[in-house]
Every structure is written in C-alpha cells, then in structure tokens.
Amino acid sequence: MRRGCSVLSGDARGGTLGYPTANLGVEPALLVPAYGIYAGWAEGHRAAISIGTNPHYGGHERRVEAFLLDFEGDLYGKRLIVQLWRRLRDERAFASEEELVAQIRCDVEATEAAEPPV
C-alpha cells in the first residue's frame, strides 16, 4: 500500500534560499530511511529530498522535505507520496549559507541526472 503524508508549513527557509520545499508531516513512529539527501520523485516531478534534522540551522527534530524540480504551485494540505531513487550524501552543517546553497545546487544537479529504479 502506498501512503502519502500531508504537506505542512515549515520554517520557509528553503524558499528564501531559492529552493522551496514541501515539508511532510511524517508520524514520529513511522520508519524512514537514514538521514541524508536523496534524489527521487514526488507529484510527477523529480525531487531532491532531505531527511534529517537540518543540522546547519541547529535542528533537533526529524524532518522530511522535498524540493520538486520544475514545479510551481501550492501543495499545502495535499497528500504527497515521495519515492526515493538514490542516496546522494549525508546531511551536515555548512560554514556559511552560501556554501549550503552551492551544495543544494549540486544536489539538484545530481537529482536531474539520477536514473529511476528499474
């Protein structure tokens, strides 16, 4: 059975960095893959997906956020199914926001090049 999670309001940091994310309301008891950055798919679009605590901003609670490539629109309140294709890297804090944005740009490029599973 495929089950989606509702898109909730987040801190809106992704949008200010140029990469708005859909923040998924994942139940605390639900198992999720290892913390990290993944290439995948959501809502018919390739997606760069972050699972973790946002250590760059000192976060402590688990979050699942998806940046849908080539998507414009409002996903708030919508149920979103996310498919992970490939793990790109571990999550980590960066020396500056500029370094973070540069890494996100690389993650998006890797997502564009990722092949879906067969």
Side-chain angles (χ1 to χ4, degrees):
M1 177 172 89
R2 292 171 53 154
R3 184 176 145 183
C5 296
S6 294
V7 176
L8 308 172
S9 295
D11 297 327
R13 277 193 211 106
T16 62
L17 299 175
Y19 298 95
T21 59
N23 297 277
L24 303 180
V26 179
E27 298 169 20
L30 186 66
L31 294 176
V32 298
Y35 287 1
I37 310 305
Y38 294 82
W41 173 94
E43 195 67 23
H45 296 268
R46 288 177 180 266
I49 302 145
S50 171
I51 299 175
T53 61
N54 292 333
H56 180 76
Y57 294 103
H60 298 287
E61 66 184 40
R62 179 183 71 184
R63 295 180 179 216
V64 178
E65 303 178 53
F67 170 66
L68 282 62
L69 282 63
D70 302 316
F71 177 83
E72 291 184 28
D74 183 0
L75 294 171
Y76 289 113
K78 200 169 184 184
R79 297 211 46 88
L80 195 65
I81 295 172
V82 173
Q83 184 182 79
L84 303 179
W85 291 350
R86 186 175 71 144
R87 190 170 197 276
L88 300 176
R89 64 178 177 86
D90 290 335
E91 67 167 357
R92 67 180 185 90
F94 294 87
S96 68
E97 224 165 57
E98 291 78 20
E99 190 180 319
L100 169 63
V101 171
Q103 181 61 60
I104 293 171
R105 191 174 312 113
C106 291
D107 297 337
V108 168
E109 289 172 6
T111 298
E112 290 172 333
E115 295 292 326
V118 181

